[in-house]
Amino acid sequence: MDDWTMYQITGDAVYIDRFRRHRAVRAGLMGGSLGAVGIMCTSMMTAQFSSGGKEDAWPPRWLPRRCAAFALLGGILAAASSYRSTQGLVGQFVIAQPDRGTASLETGATPPPAYSGATSKTI
């Protein structure tokens, strides 16, 4: 099962953290590659419309450095944006969560009975 499903079932914060990290890494890789492709395409377009002199040879010497810089910048921005946008998912459950009874366990009362999904309904 994936981390989102395990978080829905167990309510454990480890799963939602892993889900948010994986989603941010995937968005960072996509954003970084789009940044590099954008610089590459812009460079190709400007080379087509240039005067055609010897100094206008394609690919220019600065292209790999600039592509790497924009890939890194795009990756960081996309990953940070994705990680921050998934903050709202923490605490949202599609599956009804049982009352874990942590407060009653701390006071010395008996633990709540085991959860049986037969009586609760989700919306």
Side-chain angles (χ1 to χ4, degrees), residues 3-12 15-16 90-93:
D3 293 321
W4 177 252
T5 305
M6 288 301 294
Y7 175 65
Q8 291 294 313
I9 293 170
T10 64
D12 193 3
Y15 296 114
I16 191 68
V90 176
Q92 290 184 357
F93 294 102

Side-chain angles (χ1 to χ4, degrees), residues 52-66:
K54 190 160 184 115
E55 64 275 351
D56 292 339
W58 200 86
R61 293 178 54 202
W62 51 262
L63 185 62
R65 288 188 306 263
R66 195 163 295 174

Side-chain angles (χ1 to χ4, degrees), residues 2 30 32 44 53 58 69 81 89 96 101 105 108 117 122:
D2 65 337
M30 288 188 288
M44 289 171 61
W58 200 86
S81 166
L89 295 176
L105 290 177
T122 58

Side-chain angles (χ1 to χ4, degrees), residues 52-117:
K54 190 160 184 115
E55 64 275 351
D56 292 339
W58 200 86
R61 293 178 54 202
W62 51 262
L63 185 62
R65 288 188 306 263
R66 195 163 295 174
C67 283
F70 275 88
L72 182 65
L73 180 66
I76 289 172
L77 289 176
S81 166
S82 173
Y83 192 78
R84 289 180 61 97
S85 70
T86 56
Q87 178 62 37
L89 295 176
V90 176
Q92 290 184 357
F93 294 102
V94 179
I95 301 171
Q97 295 294 305
D99 181 24
R100 305 250 187 252
T102 56
S104 64
L105 290 177
E106 291 172 358
T107 60
T110 60
Y115 174 70
S116 65

